[in-house]
Amino acid sequence: MEPVNPHAPASAGRLWPALPRRVVVALGAIALLVWFASLDARYLIKSDEGRYAEIAREMAVSGDWVTPRLNDIKYFEKPPLQYWATAAFYRAFGIDEWTARLWNALTGLATVLFTAYFAARIFGTDTGAAAGIVAASSVLIVGMAHLVTLDMGLACFMTLALGGLLIAQRDGATARETRNWMLVCWTGLALGLLSKGPVAIVLPAAVLVLYSAWHRDAVLWSRLHFGTGVPLFLAIAAPWFIAVSVANPEFPRFFFWHEHVERFLTRAHGRYAPWWYFIPIVIAGMLPWTLLAARAVLRGARRQANRRFQPVRMLWLWTVFIFVFFSASSSKLPSYVLPVVPALAVLVALTLPGLSMRALRWALAPVAIGALAIAAATPWAARLQSREIPAELFSAYAPWVAASMLVLAVGLLAALHFDARGRRGAAVIAAGFAGLISTQGVLTGHDALAPAQSAAQIAQKIRPWLTEGLPFYSVSFYDHTLNFYIGRTVTLVETQDEMAFGIAQEPHKFVPDFEEFARRWRADPQALAITSREYFLRHIRSTGLPLVVLAEDTRRVVFRKP
């Protein structure tokens, strides 16, 4: 007989008794309010938010739903699903930050719900509820669901594919359930492909190959319903790829080879980082559950007895392989590992019912202490100043960070208080709300840095000069957020930024050197131009070009022809 563990929760084996319906509804309503309330509380920031919001704006204005364009230049780096959705939101509700971020907030919420649902179907309602709370409060999911990037949509549909596969292949699934849920899986793969490209297929396929090799389970492949799944996949994903290739014959090689194979194998995109780059990203991205996630990963590879299909091992393999895959890539950005978080959330949820109070204390208390330390350090935030972000902006941001860290610390201490009284479910809810609210606070307060990170304020200053048809040049500089806030495109001078391929297809939309710009500037009756503050001081001011400065900030100078 095993000795009684004095640190085990009073309700070990269950996270919580059945909660009254009104309590569940109230908690859900509060969470939704926190989730959606801040979508337009911040200006868009460079670079991803400005880029993807602007591509959708141009699509909504032009009505061209086949060929994505950035600054009116062909932009084939990513597929169009998010552009389509956001352009539709623009047309329905207007163009602003709220509609620009709505797709990310919705796919982030869907990721949480998918995670909770498939965990509940496979492991029980307690695990499903806990997995949903962990996912909804992890920094990486909350952050990416409230920033305009393509990775949240990718993670959403990869989670749909993973959940469909797990439910379809679970022990006891009927033939009809297997077929239907595999069709859900194939749908997720197709929508993932339309969200960010072939990575949505490559990663799940590789995980499946590794799993079947590990378990010597070749029969698994006969249960994937290729006969109905592949036609469904093609019906969803293929039409746009065909249409854009017909309209733009240069698309296939650039998209499939340059943007995916070369991005992984080479440093051509300038996003190289060392192999350990994602370790701190995952550590921060899983807060406040990081230490529990590490514990879950260390134990997640264990085989479950009396099971033909091993869902826990599949989740573990999904997490580890995707992390290793992107760590090996020559191109790295923090959001790339977002698809591991839903699987990690389920692994964490599986550990919670039987976790001792002492283990939970050692998992959450260090996070609370770290949050208090950050809050205590915020008075020195001004020391982070740089040429582009002056001390006063960091000083304005510091109170938001301090308050958010205090919320996190208090919430985690409340969680430990509940757990000490045998209320593990209340502890999980308290920690979840602490993670969600604190991350939202850090995001919302980031608007204090907007003068350096967004062109919104300088756009307001120059709006009276933006007459229709007025030439507007962007000289040796491109601000990804400017076009969105001025509601029009600009003419690039010297710099091609990430639009080099599109400019090669439409070179007449580009001014190749400063001499040509100066000639056009002198010939234009009226014109505007924007450049970096550094370039203006170092070069333009000394050229004798006729100009009057209209507005400037720490990064940009806007001038007009007098």
Side-chain angles (χ1 to χ4, degrees):
M1 180 183 239
E2 289 187 352
V4 175
N5 183 352
H7 300 287
S11 58
R14 278 192 63 87
L15 281 180
W16 40 60
L19 293 175
R21 182 181 179 85
R22 65 181 181 276
V23 174
V24 175
V25 171
L27 292 173
I30 294 170
L32 287 174
L33 179 64
V34 175
W35 190 267
F36 285 103
S38 66
L39 290 182
D40 59 352
R42 296 169 285 117
Y43 292 125
L44 299 180
I45 60 173
K46 63 180 183 84
S47 299
D48 282 2
E49 286 209 300
R51 176 194 304 116
Y52 298 128
E54 172 61 15
I55 293 172
R57 187 195 69 81
E58 294 183 34
M59 185 173 283
V61 170
S62 70
D64 183 354
W65 300 81
V66 173
T67 303
R69 291 179 177 271
L70 175 60
N71 196 44
D72 196 35
I73 295 169
K74 293 180 181 181
Y75 190 84
F76 293 144
E77 293 197 8
K78 300 294 183 289
L81 182 58
Q82 182 163 322
Y83 309 150
W84 289 342
T86 305
F89 293 148
Y90 287 161
R91 287 194 169 189
F93 307 117
I95 298 173
D96 58 23
E97 293 92 351
W98 192 84
T99 43
R101 294 189 177 110
L102 184 56
W103 176 251
N104 293 82
L106 290 173
T107 52
L109 179 62
T111 301
V112 170
L113 296 178
F114 292 158
T115 301
Y117 181 79
F118 82 72
R121 287 291 302 269
I122 298 166
F123 302 111
T125 54
D126 274 11
T127 299
I133 292 171
V134 172
S137 55
S138 297
V139 166
L140 202 54
I141 284 186
V142 178
M144 291 300 104
H146 296 86
L147 294 171
V148 186
T149 73
L150 304 185
D151 296 282
M152 192 70 255
L154 173 67
C156 173
F157 296 118
M158 286 181 65
T159 302
L160 180 63
L162 172 63
L165 176 71
L166 293 177
I167 296 174
Q169 304 303 326
R170 76 191 192 282
D171 292 359
T174 65
R176 182 177 180 179
E177 285 179 318
T178 298
R179 183 197 67 226
N180 290 345
W181 280 103
M182 280 310 306
L183 294 181
V184 170
C185 176
W186 285 102
T187 299
L189 295 175
L191 294 174
L193 176 63
L194 285 173
S195 294
K196 207 176 177 185
V199 68
I201 308 168
V202 171
L203 295 180
V207 170
L208 200 61
V209 168
L210 292 173
Y211 174 87
S212 60
W214 188 3
H215 287 272
R216 299 178 182 177
D217 185 7
V219 178
L220 174 64
W221 292 84
S222 67
R223 301 194 298 270
L224 300 184
H225 287 269
F226 286 98
T228 51
V230 171
L232 176 64
F233 174 89
L234 292 175
I236 295 171
W240 176 77
F241 285 97
I242 294 171
V244 73
S245 298
V246 170
N248 307 275
E250 68 274 19
F251 167 82
R253 185 187 185 283
F254 176 83
F255 179 82
F256 291 105
W257 179 257
H258 177 74
E259 276 303 299
H260 293 87
V261 177
E262 287 187 351
R263 182 182 291 271
F264 181 83
L265 295 177
T266 73
R267 303 182 184 183
H269 290 75
R271 293 173 179 170
Y272 174 76
W275 64 267
W276 48 263
Y277 175 83
F278 288 113
I279 295 176
I281 299 299
V282 174
I283 289 173
M286 282 305 298
L287 288 171
W289 312 98
T290 301
L291 296 175
L292 289 176
R295 180 189 183 100
V297 169
L298 291 175
R299 300 186 177 193
R302 295 177 181 178
R303 183 179 181 87
Q304 295 172 278
N306 303 318
R307 280 183 181 261
R308 172 187 56 81
F309 182 69
Q310 298 285 315
V312 176
R313 280 193 170 183
M314 178 69 80
L315 291 167
W316 181 88
L317 193 57
W318 178 279
T319 299
V320 172
F321 175 77
I322 293 176
F323 178 85
V324 171
F325 176 88
F326 284 118
S327 295
S329 172
S330 295
S331 179
K332 296 180 177 72
L333 286 176
S335 55
Y336 286 1
V337 289
L338 183 59
V340 310
V341 179
L344 264 178
V346 180
L347 294 176
V348 168
L350 287 168
T351 70
L352 286 171
L355 196 68
S356 71
M357 286 189 291
R358 176 179 294 172
L360 187 66
R361 189 181 308 135
W362 279 104
L364 297 185
V367 179
I369 294 170
L372 290 173
I374 293 173
T378 53
W380 290 274
R383 297 185 179 183
L384 298 173
Q385 67 177 315
S386 64
R387 180 178 54 82
E388 291 188 355
I389 308 179
E392 57 267 24
L393 297 187
F394 279 114
S395 296
Y397 187 27
W400 285 90
V401 176
S404 299
M405 292 301 98
L406 288 174
V407 167
L408 178 59
V410 170
L412 295 180
L413 293 175
L416 295 178
H417 171 79
F418 288 131
D419 199 61
R421 282 152 180 75
R423 300 172 62 188
R424 177 60 56 84
V428 173
I429 292 171
F433 270 106
L436 173 59
I437 295 171
S438 61
T439 304
Q440 285 284 51
V442 171
L443 285 170
T444 302
H446 189 270
D447 206 48
L449 306 182
Q453 301 291 316
S454 176
Q457 294 172 333
I458 206 167
Q460 292 172 1
K461 296 176 182 178
I462 66 174
R463 186 160 286 114
W465 298 91
L466 292 172
T467 57
E468 187 175 354
L470 181 72
F472 196 150
Y473 300 97
S474 186
V475 185
S476 195
F477 173 80
Y478 181 69
D479 189 310
H480 288 84
T481 63
L482 178 68
N483 292 12
F484 179 86
Y485 284 110
I486 63 176
R488 54 160 294 175
T489 59
V490 296
T491 301
L492 293 177
V493 178
E494 290 188 317
T495 186
Q496 299 186 22
D497 198 72
E498 57 192 323
M499 291 164 275
F501 179 80
I503 288 171
Q505 315 308 312
E506 301 172 300
H508 61 282
K509 296 182 178 181
F510 175 64
V511 178
D513 52 53
F514 188 84
E515 289 72 22
E516 173 62 17
F517 160 70
R519 186 191 66 76
R520 293 192 186 190
W521 182 265
R522 290 187 171 93
D524 290 329
Q526 292 182 315
L528 293 177
I530 186 170
T531 189
S532 69
R533 184 178 182 84
E534 179 186 8
Y535 190 79
F536 181 81
L537 296 175
R538 174 173 52 86
H539 183 69
I540 293 180
R541 192 169 60 175
S542 62
T543 61
L545 206 65
L547 60 87
V548 174
V549 173
L550 282 180
E552 57 185 311
D553 57 25
T554 58
R555 291 189 61 237
R556 317 161 189 84
V557 176
V558 179
F559 54 93
R560 67 177 178 87
K561 184 175 180 183

